[in-house]
């Protein structure tokens, strides 16, 4: 995540390094899945699609892959290096339009 901080214009590593403390807000009883979705229980999920770019959260890719493997979930990752954070939710340029169409197709399945 630290390596990608300079290319992510939305989320930086400094925030991600402090997010757990922020999410716990001084409590010790906050469940792990509420701190990071990669720590959740994926039982019963057949497939997860990840769409990512050169962003800080891409640094968590291996953590999500391990979680999917642990629960027997098919993990499909669509990587678009050089795109901005959440690029596919802004379908105003060709790469974003293409990925947005993929997401819509998945949702229609």
């Amino acid at each position: 995540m630290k390596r990608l901080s300079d290319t992510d214009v939305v989320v930086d590593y400094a925030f991600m390094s402090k997010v757990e403390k922020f999410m716990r807000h001084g409590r010790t009883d906050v469940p792990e899945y509420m701190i990071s979705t990669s720590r959740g229980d994926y039982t019963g999920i057949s497939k997860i699609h990840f769409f990512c770019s050169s962003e800080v959260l891409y640094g968590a890719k291996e953590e999500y892959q391990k979680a999917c493997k642990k629960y027997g979930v098919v993990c499909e990752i669509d990587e678009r290096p050089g795109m901005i954070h959440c690029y596919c939710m802004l379908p105003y340029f060709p790469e974003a339009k293409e990925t947005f169409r993929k997401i819509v197709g998945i949702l229609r399945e």
Side-chain angles (χ1 to χ4, degrees):
M1 287 185 178
K2 194 173 195 176
R3 180 180 55 81
L4 296 165
S5 194
D6 290 340
T7 60
D8 192 333
V9 297
V10 179
V11 178
D12 71 351
Y13 177 74
F15 171 75
M16 294 307 294
S17 66
K18 295 174 183 150
V19 74
E20 185 164 346
K21 182 177 179 182
F22 170 77
M23 297 293 284
R24 291 192 186 282
H25 196 65
R27 297 179 60 156
T28 58
D29 62 341
V30 179
E32 288 296 306
Y33 73 89
M34 290 183 157
I35 303 302
S36 172
T37 55
S38 66
R39 301 178 192 170
D41 182 343
Y42 295 170
T43 301
I45 297 173
S46 59
K47 189 173 191 177
I48 294 178
H49 301 268
F50 292 100
F51 295 88
C52 51
S53 182
S54 303
E55 55 189 286
V56 168
L57 297 175
Y58 179 71
K61 176 178 118 173
E62 289 181 16
E63 198 173 320
Y64 282 100
Q65 287 174 314
K66 287 178 188 175
C68 287
K69 185 175 181 178
K70 176 180 177 180
Y71 291 100
V73 176
V74 174
C75 176
E76 184 175 291
I77 300 176
D78 187 301
E79 301 175 42
R80 285 288 187 136
M83 296 289 105
I84 62 169
H85 182 83
C86 293
Y87 76 97
C88 49
M89 295 294 103
L90 303 166
Y92 304 114
F93 46 93
E95 298 88 350
K97 287 178 183 179
E98 180 183 331
T99 304
F100 186 82
R101 281 192 294 271
K102 277 185 177 179
I103 293 169
V104 170
I106 291 165
L107 293 172
R108 287 183 172 166
E109 289 178 359

